[in-house]
Amino acid sequence: MLERVTAPEVSAFYERLHRDAGVTVRTGALVEALGGDNRVREVRLAGGDELPADLVVVGVGIQPNTGLAAAAGLLVDDGVVIDDQARTSDHDIVAAGDCTSHLMARYGRRVRLESVPSAGEQAKVAAATLCGKDKTIAALPWFWSDQYDLKAPDRGTEHRLRRDRAQW
């Protein structure tokens, strides 16, 4: 739970919070089918379990849609590659948001961030670049998630990057 964006201890805390509230947490479960007449009544998992359901909330990850950028000849590497001024490999074109991949000097690698604050920061820098202003992407990455009456804030991504490198 939140393991892509928080330290393992924080992830474990929020999983316990949900379990203590009576939530059954199933990670890695594959949905095979949704069943019911005119509305979902059950969820069938690939392992054969059938779960009754009044409501199904689907959360899916994203993959950046970079087809247009690639077709335009822009450099793509886990997103549209941008520099510190949100310029693409064609410096007359800027990009911002979840579809971009940006070299973050503090981490020594290119990172694609899927967060509203990051997209907003990049958009401001892209607009400044288009207006001829000297502004760079420099904010420390952060996000938040509301979990019951708690807010789970996180600043930086180093713990996530360390985990990602271990999976390479």
Side-chain angles (χ1 to χ4, degrees):
M1 186 155 297
L2 299 174
E3 67 182 14
R4 284 189 56 230
V5 293
T6 64
E9 299 81 5
V10 175
S11 176
F13 170 83
Y14 279 100
E15 184 171 333
R16 276 192 313 277
L17 178 74
H18 285 281
R19 290 185 190 281
D20 290 349
V23 174
T24 301
V25 177
R26 293 179 182 239
T27 59
L30 300 175
V31 174
E32 188 172 275
L34 302 175
D37 295 321
N38 297 323
R39 60 175 282 201
V40 175
R41 298 282 184 194
E42 68 181 21
V43 177
R44 187 170 54 247
L45 301 180
D49 289 348
E50 293 186 0
L51 310 172
D54 295 319
L55 173 72
V56 175
V57 177
V58 178
V60 296
I62 65 164
Q63 293 296 320
N65 184 346
T66 57
L68 180 61
L74 301 179
L75 184 60
V76 172
D77 179 12
D78 189 34
V80 179
V81 173
I82 61 172
D83 66 12
D84 286 340
Q85 287 79 41
R87 294 178 301 218
T88 66
S89 54
D90 178 335
H91 283 192
D92 291 328
I93 300 173
V94 297
D98 295 354
C99 69
T100 65
S101 176
H102 173 242
L103 178 62
M104 299 190 76
R106 73 174 34 98
Y107 303 125
R109 69 171 274 208
R110 186 166 297 290
V111 177
R112 181 170 51 86
L113 295 171
E114 300 149 4
S115 74
V116 171
S118 176
E121 164 86 358
Q122 290 177 1
K124 289 175 187 174
V125 170
T129 297
L130 290 173
C131 293
K133 309 266 186 208
D134 186 26
K135 186 171 176 69
T136 60
I137 300 168
L140 182 66
W142 66 280
F143 90 101
W144 77 95
S145 177
D146 292 325
Q147 306 283 319
Y148 301 103
D149 59 342
L150 299 177
K151 186 173 288 288
D154 188 48
R155 299 220 184 276
T157 60
E158 184 57 27
H159 51 267
R160 181 182 123 195
L161 295 176
R162 277 196 307 270
R163 206 169 28 251
D164 287 350
R165 284 187 199 117
Q167 295 173 0
W168 290 344

